[in-house]
Amino acid sequence: MLCSILDAMAKSSHPPAGRPPTARGRGALSNASGRFERYARLIDPDADADADAPPPNPLTTVMEERPRSILTRNTSPDLGFDRSINPYRGCEHGCIYCYARPSHAWLGFSAGLDFETRLIARPDAPALLDAALRKPGYSPAPIAIGTNTDPYQPIERDRRIMRGILEVLLAHRHPVTVTTKGAAILKDADILGELGRLGLASVAVSLTSLDSRLSRSMEPRAAAPATRLRIVSTLARAGCPTGVMLAPLIPALNDHEVERLAAAAAGAGAGFATHIVLRLPLEVKDLFREWLAASYPDRAKRVMRYVREMHGGRDYDPQWGKRMRGDGVFARLIARRVEVAFARAGLARSGPDLRCDLFAPPARSGDQMRFDGI
């Protein structure tokens, strides 16, 4: 698997490191070498500026990975799930703040443009999931999807890997939670509605801003704010419990929208809501600073001052319990505003408890019949 990825890396082209792209619809402004690479690619400022200029429209390339397992386990004390699935690595949405960007370095890629243009698909995910759920001794608990990269990024429209995963979960009567900001989820409203009516699914739509300009700049290929609200209403009408995740809340950039976001979500039919403050682990801090200086130079220093205040004087504090909520006066102020706004809008602070008692792997052709209860 690793060899095939490395071969594909050698064959595919990408913008040089350190030079801002001219392409529209991309979040990162640079493509610095991954943190595990022995050598860094640098641009010689004295060289001909046009000699190695990036292509005007860096294309998305998709490679395939054939892992031996698809369920990822975690024991993080501040996460509400212990197992998850990622149908894709990398994310074409290109959200500049995405905390998953550093994970691309494990593949030898950059957390910058590579993360949003050089994607990995896992077409065997449904079959691997079916096999995992059939293992003797498997104990069901909600599977979280969309906790790293978005399962409904644009390539899902053609790949339909997520659709296959949901079909397996429905067949096994297994609970699932989905987090997304992608319009491709609308194609799965039927199956998510069926799962929801059985008490087996809930969806959280990431809602960052109602300002289309800010959203387009910060999340260039994600669904527009109005579309995300339509996702909420469509899934809620289909019977799937749906909420929103105000994430990330960024001081002096979108935190002033808390009350409007909560009201809009409730008006669209959301039943619950959560929030997460901006996280800037590893390479993300430099990528975000670069974007912020280019996109909002008038408030860049103020934004980062408040961010550091929320994280103990650093760009990011990875400590359990603090990394997603922050600490200090400003973080407490945001938390209080969120609490009041959610209560006023009638939004619960968490999604519904999902059922695990319906879990039953379906019989396959040739399986021995069961005699439970006889």
Side-chain angles (χ1 to χ4, degrees):
M1 182 272 293
L2 180 59
C3 291
S4 64
I5 291 178
L6 293 175
D7 289 343
M9 288 170 56
K11 294 176 183 177
S12 61
S13 61
H14 55 84
R19 187 186 297 275
T22 58
R24 297 176 59 187
R26 300 297 182 187
L29 299 181
S30 58
N31 204 41
S33 302
R35 64 186 182 278
F36 299 118
E37 304 309 297
R38 292 183 61 189
Y39 303 104
R41 291 175 285 113
L42 300 174
I43 298 298
D44 182 356
D46 297 325
D48 182 355
D50 296 325
D52 54 359
N57 185 24
L59 300 178
T60 299
T61 60
V62 183
M63 295 160 275
E64 292 187 351
E65 180 184 44
R66 308 283 176 173
R68 289 178 292 180
S69 61
I70 198 64
L71 282 178
T72 300
R73 304 277 183 161
N74 82 85
T75 57
S76 301
D78 57 354
L79 295 180
F81 58 90
D82 67 354
R83 65 201 72 182
S84 60
I85 294 176
N86 289 293
Y88 303 101
R89 296 196 196 206
C91 186
E92 197 175 2
H93 283 158
C95 303
I96 190 59
Y97 54 74
C98 183
Y99 60 82
R101 284 181 176 272
S103 64
H104 234 42
W106 294 101
L107 301 174
F109 293 152
S110 170
L113 280 170
D114 281 352
F115 177 78
E116 52 196 279
T117 61
R118 307 174 79 178
L119 311 179
I120 310 293
R122 293 166 158 178
D124 295 339
L128 290 170
L129 176 60
D130 180 77
L133 299 184
R134 292 180 183 276
K135 288 184 177 179
Y138 175 83
S139 179
I143 294 174
I145 307 180
T147 59
N148 196 50
T149 57
D150 201 315
Y152 285 107
Q153 56 184 286
I155 58 172
E156 169 64 14
R157 292 188 179 95
D158 298 321
R159 294 280 172 159
R160 308 301 283 142
I161 297 174
M162 187 61 184
R163 178 75 184 197
I165 290 173
L166 292 177
E167 290 171 345
V168 170
L169 293 170
L170 178 59
H172 287 259
R173 297 296 193 265
H174 193 289
V176 61
T177 63
V178 180
T179 303
T180 184
K181 56 171 69 76
I185 194 174
L186 291 170
K187 290 188 175 182
D188 289 343
D190 57 340
I191 192 168
L192 284 167
E194 187 172 356
L195 283 163
R197 291 190 297 274
L198 290 169
L200 294 173
S202 68
V203 173
V205 178
S206 176
L207 189 61
T208 313
S209 175
L210 297 178
D211 181 341
S212 296
R213 177 181 175 272
L214 174 60
S215 178
R216 187 166 55 250
S217 174
M218 193 162 55
E219 310 156 321
R221 299 202 177 193
T227 302
R228 298 188 209 184
L229 292 173
R230 181 161 60 89
I231 293 170
V232 172
S233 60
T234 300
L235 293 178
R237 287 197 307 269
C240 182
T242 307
V244 296
M245 179 179 292
L246 307 191
L249 289 178
I250 307 171
L253 200 60
N254 72 342
D255 66 306
H256 65 283
E257 297 188 66
V258 164
E259 291 77 11
R260 292 176 58 223
L261 289 167
F272 62 92
T274 59
H275 86 282
I276 297 176
V277 301
L278 179 66
R279 300 166 56 188
L280 297 175
L282 300 170
E283 296 97 329
V284 185
K285 66 179 185 301
D286 295 325
L287 291 166
F288 182 80
R289 282 175 175 273
E290 184 178 47
W291 170 85
L292 186 63
S295 302
Y296 293 91
D298 59 322
R299 67 186 83 175
K301 290 183 179 179
R302 182 156 54 103
V303 170
M304 291 310 302
R305 183 172 70 250
Y306 286 135
V307 169
R308 287 192 295 271
E309 182 181 315
M310 290 195 300
H311 293 290
R314 295 182 287 172
D315 289 341
Y316 177 58
D317 181 358
Q319 185 175 340
W320 304 124
K322 292 184 178 181
R323 55 181 183 160
M324 292 186 282
R325 292 289 183 265
D327 196 13
V329 174
F330 206 91
R332 289 194 293 272
L333 177 61
I334 288 180
R336 179 57 181 159
R337 286 179 57 201
V338 164
E339 181 181 0
V340 172
F342 289 177
R344 184 177 298 157
L347 297 168
R349 297 306 305 270
S350 63
D353 292 331
L354 301 180
R355 299 185 64 175
C356 296
D357 59 308
L358 299 180
F359 177 68
R364 296 171 295 188
S365 177
D367 282 355
Q368 182 175 343
M369 295 182 64
R370 297 179 60 176
F371 295 93
D372 295 350
I374 297 180

